[in-house]
Amino acid sequence: MRVLIVGAAGFVGRHLVAECAGHGDDVTGTYLAEATAGAPDDAGLSWLPLDLLDEGSIDRALETARPEGIVHVAGQANVSAAAADPIAAFRVNAEGTVRLLNSAQRHVPGARVLVVTSAEVYGAVPAEELPVTEDRPLAPRTPYGVGKAAADFAAEQAWVVRRQPVIRMRPFNHVGPGQRPGFVVPDFARQIAAIERGVRPAVLEVGNLSARRDFTDVRDIARGYRLALERGRPGAAYNLCSGRSWAIEEIVRELLGQARREIEVRRDPARMRPSEVPEFRGDSTRAHEEFGWEPRIDLARSLAEVLDEWREASASPAAGRTAD
Ligand code: GDD
C-alpha cells in the first residue's frame, strides 16, 4: 500500500515507518520543518514537510504522495505540555486533525485514514467499570484529553456524514526506545543512567507514584496501526492496550531492580500534576477479534531496552541525547 505517515519523525512515527516498510508498504513520511531543521536523512524513505497548522502544506503533501492509506501520529503527545499550553495543544491535535481529514477528502477521497487519539478520551472511569471498552462515552478530564476527544469526534463524523474511510485508534500508554524525556519511563531511565555513571547523586526524583497506567511496547502499537490500516473497519474505534495496569511505583521498582546502583527515591513536587486520571486500563478485544492484534513484548523488556538506550546516551552525550 502507498502509505503516508504524518509525524513520521516522532517517537511512534519512527517505529511505524519501520513496521510498514518492513511489510512492503511504499512509505512517505512527513516532518515538521521547524522541529527537525530539515528532512530527516533516513535512506530509502521519501520525506515531505507538513505542518498541521498550515492547510497549504497538507494539500501539497497529499497531492505529491497520493497515498492509499494515511496514518496520523503527529501533534502534541505530552499531557503535561498540553496542560501548560492548552490552546496550542488543541490547535494542533483537534484543529490539525480536522484540517488533515478535510484535505484528504479533497485530494485522496478513497484513502483510508487512521486517526490516533488516546485513552485520555475516556477520562476517569470508576475502578469497577474497568477495563474500558470503545463503547464507553467520551468524558475527557485533561486539556490533552479534550483535544483528543474533539479529534475523535471529528474523525467519526467524517465517516458518518461523508463516508470518508476513517478509523480511530485509542492507544493507552506506550513505551520503548526513542521516547523523549517528558514521559515517565525515559524521565526515570535518564536519571538512573546518569546516577550509574556517577554524574548525578543517587536519588531518583519522581512524581505521582500511585497513578496506574496500562503500558504497551511502542513496536506492538505500531504493528496495531499497520494491521488496522489494512483491516480495520471504517468508522470504528479500537483500543490498543495490554489489559492490565501498573502503578508507577511498580515501574520504579522494576527499573531500580535493573539498576546497577542503590538508589533512593524522592518525591519532587514539580513532577506532580494538578489533576490527572488515577487509572487507565483498557480492553482490546475488538482489535484482537477484528484484525488479530495482541501485544507481544513484555514490559520488563521494554524497560530494560529504554534503560540501555539511556546508558549508551550517557556514555556518549555528544551522540545526541544528553544523559541529564
Ligand atoms: N512524565 C512523568 N515524569 N510522569 C511521571 C513522573 C515523572 O517524573 N513521575 C510520575 N509520573 C506519572 C504521571 O503523573 C502519570 O500518572 C504517569 O506517570 C504517566 O505519565 P506519562 O508518561 O507522562 O504519560 P501519560 O499517562 O500522561 O500520557 C501518555 O499516555 C496517553 C495514553 O494513555 C502519553 O503517551 C499520551 O500521549 C497518551 O495519549
Side-chain angles (χ1 to χ4, degrees), residues 52-224:
L52 288 167
L53 304 180
D54 172 9
E55 190 174 311
S57 78
I58 303 176
D59 288 339
R60 282 189 294 279
L62 290 173
E63 276 170 7
T64 306
R66 311 282 325 155
E68 298 157 300
I70 300 169
V71 189
H72 172 25
V73 287
Q76 176 58 269
N78 189 304
V79 173
S80 294
D85 192 346
I87 293 176
F90 192 86
R91 288 183 62 209
V92 71
N93 288 351
E95 295 179 16
T97 298
V98 174
R99 226 175 258 121
L100 177 65
L101 288 169
N102 289 349
S103 185
Q105 176 71 3
R106 282 196 301 276
H107 296 284
V108 283
R112 289 163 68 81
V113 188
L114 220 71
V115 168
V116 173
T117 73
S118 168
E120 281 267 347
V121 300
Y122 297 118
V125 176
E128 62 278 11
E129 292 170 37
L130 293 171
V132 67
T133 71
E134 296 87 349
D135 295 329
R136 187 167 188 96
L138 309 194
R141 259 279 276 276
T142 59
Y144 172 82
V146 168
K148 286 292 188 178
D152 200 291
F153 282 126
E156 184 184 30
Q157 272 175 36
W159 166 249
V160 171
V161 175
R162 62 193 186 205
R163 283 297 184 256
Q164 187 176 8
V166 180
I167 297 158
R168 290 164 288 154
M169 305 307 292
R170 296 179 185 154
F172 288 57
N173 293 58
H174 28 300
V175 293
Q179 194 172 30
R180 305 298 304 164
F183 298 91
V184 66
V185 174
D187 273 357
F188 293 168
R190 175 164 79 155
Q191 293 182 64
I192 293 169
I195 292 166
E196 287 180 344
R197 225 180 145 64
V199 296
R200 186 187 163 96
V203 177
L204 178 67
E205 291 181 351
V206 301
N208 181 5
L209 296 186
S210 63
R212 302 187 69 92
R213 294 290 183 269
D214 179 337
F215 289 94
T216 301
D217 190 277
V218 63
R219 290 155 289 194
D220 283 327
I221 296 283
R223 196 176 78 263

Side-chain angles (χ1 to χ4, degrees), residues 167-302:
I167 297 158
R168 290 164 288 154
M169 305 307 292
R170 296 179 185 154
F172 288 57
N173 293 58
H174 28 300
V175 293
Q179 194 172 30
R180 305 298 304 164
F183 298 91
V184 66
V185 174
D187 273 357
F188 293 168
R190 175 164 79 155
Q191 293 182 64
I192 293 169
I195 292 166
E196 287 180 344
R197 225 180 145 64
V199 296
R200 186 187 163 96
V203 177
L204 178 67
E205 291 181 351
V206 301
N208 181 5
L209 296 186
S210 63
R212 302 187 69 92
R213 294 290 183 269
D214 179 337
F215 289 94
T216 301
D217 190 277
V218 63
R219 290 155 289 194
D220 283 327
I221 296 283
R223 196 176 78 263
Y225 293 167
R226 178 183 58 78
L227 290 169
L229 188 63
E230 289 168 8
R231 290 152 53 185
R233 228 177 342 113
Y238 298 94
N239 287 342
L240 292 185
C241 48
S242 74
R244 71 156 280 196
S245 68
W246 285 262
I248 301 305
E249 192 168 9
E250 295 174 81
I251 303 290
V252 169
R253 219 177 298 132
E254 176 63 35
L255 283 169
L256 292 187
Q258 295 182 15
R260 296 169 184 161
R261 285 194 57 182
E262 283 294 306
I263 297 174
E264 181 193 329
V265 176
R266 190 180 296 158
R267 198 69 55 98
D268 172 8
R271 290 171 188 265
M272 300 295 288
R273 300 180 185 175
S275 158
E276 68 170 341
V277 175
E279 179 172 14
F280 283 116
R281 180 155 39 97
D283 180 324
S284 60
T285 305
R286 184 180 288 171
H288 182 65
E289 288 181 353
E290 295 192 19
F291 46 84
W293 181 82
E294 61 189 359
R296 294 176 182 161
I297 301 174
D298 77 34
L299 183 61
R301 178 182 144 197
S302 309

Side-chain angles (χ1 to χ4, degrees), residues 33-59:
E34 66 185 55
T36 57
D41 57 0
D42 300 31
L45 185 69
S46 319
W47 288 94
L48 294 169
L50 183 151
D51 181 348
L52 288 167
L53 304 180
D54 172 9
E55 190 174 311
S57 78
I58 303 176
D59 288 339

